[in-house]
C-alpha cells in the first residue's frame, strides 16, 4: 500500500508529535501518544470482534475526545465511521442505524441508554463497544490511560 494513504500519514503524525497535546476538551486533554494508544485499542477490539474492512461503524457520544479517538480507531481498522448525534431523538437514531445496517457502535454507557428500550427489535445483532471497557482493558494491560 502506498505511503501516502491517509492511515499511513495519520500514523506518521501521531508518532512525530507523540508528546504534544492532540485534543483539549474543557478540563481534559490527551496527547498524540495517548490518542494513538487508545485508538489502537479501539481498532484491535473491532478487528478481534470481526469488523471487516470498509464496514460501517457508528459513534454515539457527546464526548469530543472519545469521538476523535473513535474516528481514528475506526480508520485504523480500515472501517467507515458513521457519526450518531445523541441529541437526536431515539427514533431518528434507530432509523439511521437501520438505513446503513450498522453492526457495531462505539459509545459510552450513558449514551447507550438512549437506544435501550423495550422495543429494540432488530438491534440484537449490533455489537456495542463501550469506551469504559476499552479504558478498563488498557488499565488491566498496564497501558497508559488518557487523563
Amino acid at each position: 500500500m502506498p505511503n501516502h494513504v491517509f492511515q499511513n500519514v495519520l500514523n506518521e503524525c501521531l508518532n512525530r508529535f507523540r508528546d504534544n497535546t492532540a485534543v483539549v476538551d474543557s478540563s481534559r486533554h490527551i496527547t498524540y501518544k495517548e490518542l494513538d494508544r487508545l485508538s489502537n485499542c479501539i481498532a484491535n477490539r473491532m478487528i478481534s470482534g470481526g469488523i471487516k474492512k470498509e464496514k460501517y461503524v457508528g459513534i454515539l457520544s457527546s464526548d469530543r475526545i472519545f469521538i476523535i479517538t473513535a474516528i481514528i480507531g475506526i480508520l485504523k481498522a480500515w472501517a467507515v465511521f458513521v457519526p450518531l448525534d445523541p441529541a437526536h431523538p431515539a427514533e431518528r437514531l434507530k432509523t439511521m442505524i437501520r438505513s446503513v445496517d450498522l453492526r457495531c457502535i462505539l459509545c459510552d454507557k450513558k449514551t447507550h441508554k438512549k437506544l435501550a428500550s423495550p422495543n429494540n427489535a432488530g438491534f440484537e445483532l449490533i455489537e456495542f463497544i463501550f469506551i469504559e471497557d476499552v479504558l478498563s482493558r488498557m488499565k488491566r494491560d498496564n497501558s497508559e490511560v488518557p487523563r
Side-chain angles (χ1 to χ4, degrees):
M1 212 161 277
N3 283 343
H4 61 276
V5 172
F6 177 77
Q7 285 83 344
N8 294 340
V9 174
L10 174 65
N11 284 327
E12 286 175 22
C13 289
L14 290 169
N15 286 321
R16 185 179 314 138
F17 303 108
R18 291 188 84 59
D19 297 323
N20 295 357
T21 299
V23 184
V24 177
D25 183 22
S26 60
S27 64
R28 299 171 34 225
H29 71 278
I30 185 171
T31 65
Y32 285 98
K33 180 180 178 181
E34 294 165 330
L35 183 62
D36 189 33
R37 263 204 186 137
L38 186 53
S39 62
N40 282 341
C41 286
I42 290 170
N44 290 336
R45 172 64 182 79
M46 288 178 11
I47 292 167
S48 69
I51 301 300
K52 303 287 186 217
K53 184 177 179 181
E54 299 178 3
K55 291 296 178 184
Y56 294 108
V57 177
I59 303 171
L60 179 66
S61 182
S62 57
D63 181 316
R64 290 184 180 118
I65 290 177
F66 174 61
I67 292 168
I68 292 168
T69 306
I71 289 170
I72 293 172
I74 291 167
L75 293 174
K76 285 182 175 187
W78 294 89
V80 180
F81 68 90
V82 178
L84 301 168
D85 187 345
H88 286 163
E91 286 307 312
R92 171 69 181 133
L93 292 171
K94 290 175 184 181
T95 299
M96 292 171 66
I97 291 165
R98 286 186 188 105
S99 70
V100 294
D101 194 28
L102 288 181
R103 295 291 174 218
C104 179
I105 297 176
L106 300 172
C107 61
D108 54 55
K109 292 179 180 178
K110 178 182 172 189
T111 54
H112 173 259
K113 291 177 185 175
K114 180 96 179 186
L115 295 176
S117 68
N119 60 349
N120 269 353
F123 287 95
E124 303 83 23
L125 299 176
I126 295 177
E127 177 183 9
F128 289 92
I129 298 175
F130 299 110
I131 187 61
E132 296 91 344
D133 295 342
V134 173
L135 290 171
S136 176
R137 183 173 184 174
M138 283 180 72
K139 190 177 282 188
R140 188 178 63 241
D141 294 343
N142 291 324
S143 297
E144 290 180 31
V145 177
R147 299 181 278 282

